[in-house]
């Protein structure tokens, strides 16, 4: 990876992506955003069939955007560089063709919750807190905390966190649908590995297509899903075989022959 604070290890068809900045509660800066996007490209081109995302330490899964990093930016740079590039990275995570499991082995606040929202499965350790404190700092949840989070968790729940500052324990988050499973502190990775093993037992192509269709149902990536499904159908057709043969033989194609 271009940044050592984003570690990617792919082994036995499982991609393990780890934020390694515990001294800053795994807060994300601009270089880490770039590295996250790069990591997604590596995962997509690998033999991985499932991915696990976690944060080093145990105090924080991810504290969101590094305040020292973004607070020095002027309004134009904040909008164009910080928010746009952050969206690109988070979209890439949410749209991975393989299922993504987030291990909330520490607090997930602000951008940390936005990061967790990219996952298909969220496993929280018992000690974590979850919320969206941005408006208390005079800023908005800028990495799709009002959009993807509302689609995946419900707009009213996002209102309660983002507008009224409600912060939830792991058990409360489970009851509200913010996370899918709560385990004892220190056991999040074990639970994630078990979930990944279940994914590996399923048909890879069917899993990929099913995830794409669910994303489309949520409005996550309608255009890509339509293009991908139509493109796959065209690529498997005899028409393409004939068209390529005609191109290579420098003759008119004989479709429907």
């Amino acid at each position: 990876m271009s940044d050592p604070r984003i570690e990617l290890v792919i082994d036995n068809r499982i991609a393990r992506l780890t934020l390694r900045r515990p001294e800053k509660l795994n807060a994300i800066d601009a270089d880490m955003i770039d590295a996250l996007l790069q990591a997604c490209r590596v995962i997509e081109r690998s033999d991985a069939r499932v991915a696990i995302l976690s944060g080093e330490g145990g105090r924080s899964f991810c504290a969101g955007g590094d305040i020292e990093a973004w607070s020095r930016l002027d309004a134009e740079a904040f909008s164009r560089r910080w928010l746009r590039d952050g969206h690109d990275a988070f979209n890439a995570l949410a749209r991975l063709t393989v299922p993504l499991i987030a291990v909330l082995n520490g607090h997930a606040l602000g951008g940390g919750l936005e990061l967790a929202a990219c996952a298909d499965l969220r496993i929280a350790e018992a000690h974590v807190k979850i919320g969206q404190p941005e408006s208390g700092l005079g800023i908005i949840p800028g990495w799709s905390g009002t959009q993807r989070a509302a689609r995946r968790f419900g707009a009213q729940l996002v209102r309660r966190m983002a507008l009224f500052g409600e912060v939830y324990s792991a058990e409360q988050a489970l009851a509200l649908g913010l996370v899918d499973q709560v385990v004892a502190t220190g056991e999040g990775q074990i639970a994630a590995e078990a979930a990944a093993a279940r994914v590996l037992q399923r048909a890879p192509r069917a899993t990929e297509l099913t995830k794409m269709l669910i994303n489309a149902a949520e409005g996550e990536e309608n255009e890509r899903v339509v293009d991908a499904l139509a493109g796959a159908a065209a690529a498997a057709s005899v028409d393409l075989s004939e068209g390529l043969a005609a191109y290579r033989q420098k003759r008119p194609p004989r479709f429907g022959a």
Side-chain angles (χ1 to χ4, degrees):
M1 290 293 94
S2 59
D3 192 310
R5 298 167 300 174
I6 300 294
E7 181 184 78
L8 175 62
V9 177
I10 300 174
D11 182 52
N12 292 327
R13 297 174 297 171
I14 301 176
R16 296 173 180 86
L17 183 60
T18 308
L19 307 184
R20 294 203 178 280
R21 201 187 184 195
E23 73 282 1
K24 289 287 189 178
L25 302 179
N26 296 318
I28 298 172
D29 63 17
D31 289 338
M32 293 171 73
I33 288 173
D34 292 342
L36 279 172
L37 184 57
Q38 180 187 0
C40 290
R41 290 175 178 149
V42 173
I43 292 170
E44 293 287 32
R45 296 167 186 172
S46 74
D47 66 348
R49 288 181 45 202
V50 62
I52 299 174
L53 173 65
S54 62
E56 187 178 78
R59 293 177 59 199
S60 175
F61 163 68
C62 175
D66 184 339
I67 294 176
E68 293 302 319
W70 62 256
S71 64
R72 294 192 295 266
L73 301 174
D74 60 32
E76 182 177 3
F78 182 80
S79 174
R80 290 190 175 184
R81 175 83 168 91
W82 187 261
L83 293 184
R84 182 194 62 193
D85 291 356
H87 267 274
D88 288 345
F90 281 37
N91 286 344
L93 281 167
R95 298 170 187 179
L96 283 172
T97 55
V98 300
L100 176 64
I101 303 165
V103 181
L104 308 188
N105 50 344
H107 303 323
L109 299 169
L113 177 56
E114 292 172 311
L115 184 64
C118 297
D120 300 289
L121 189 78
R122 283 166 287 280
I123 299 172
E125 296 189 359
H127 65 290
V128 310
K129 302 290 185 184
I130 295 175
Q132 288 185 314
E134 288 94 337
S135 62
L137 294 172
I139 196 65
I140 66 164
W143 287 335
S144 209
T146 58
Q147 304 301 306
R148 179 176 295 113
R151 291 196 301 268
R152 298 200 170 182
F153 306 136
Q156 188 58 31
L157 184 55
V158 173
R159 285 187 177 96
R160 289 168 59 181
M161 292 187 290
L163 301 181
F164 296 93
E166 293 187 11
V167 176
Y168 305 118
S169 68
E171 290 294 342
Q172 289 173 320
L174 178 64
L176 292 166
L178 283 169
V179 301
D180 302 287
Q181 184 179 355
V182 175
V183 299
T185 297
E187 295 185 3
Q189 193 68 31
I190 296 171
E193 295 286 343
R198 295 196 298 272
V199 173
L200 294 179
Q201 293 172 356
R202 309 180 78 81
R205 186 59 172 160
T207 298
E208 176 184 345
L209 291 171
T210 299
K211 174 172 177 175
M212 290 173 60
L213 290 169
I214 293 170
N215 278 358
E218 285 186 322
E220 177 68 54
E221 48 173 344
N222 290 343
E223 296 86 356
R224 187 176 81 93
V225 170
V226 170
D227 287 348
L229 293 177
S237 72
V238 295
D239 285 348
L240 177 61
S241 299
E242 170 59 18
L244 290 175
Y247 170 80
R248 290 168 182 146
Q249 296 167 16
K250 296 180 172 54
R251 60 171 174 79
R254 296 186 291 271
F255 294 125

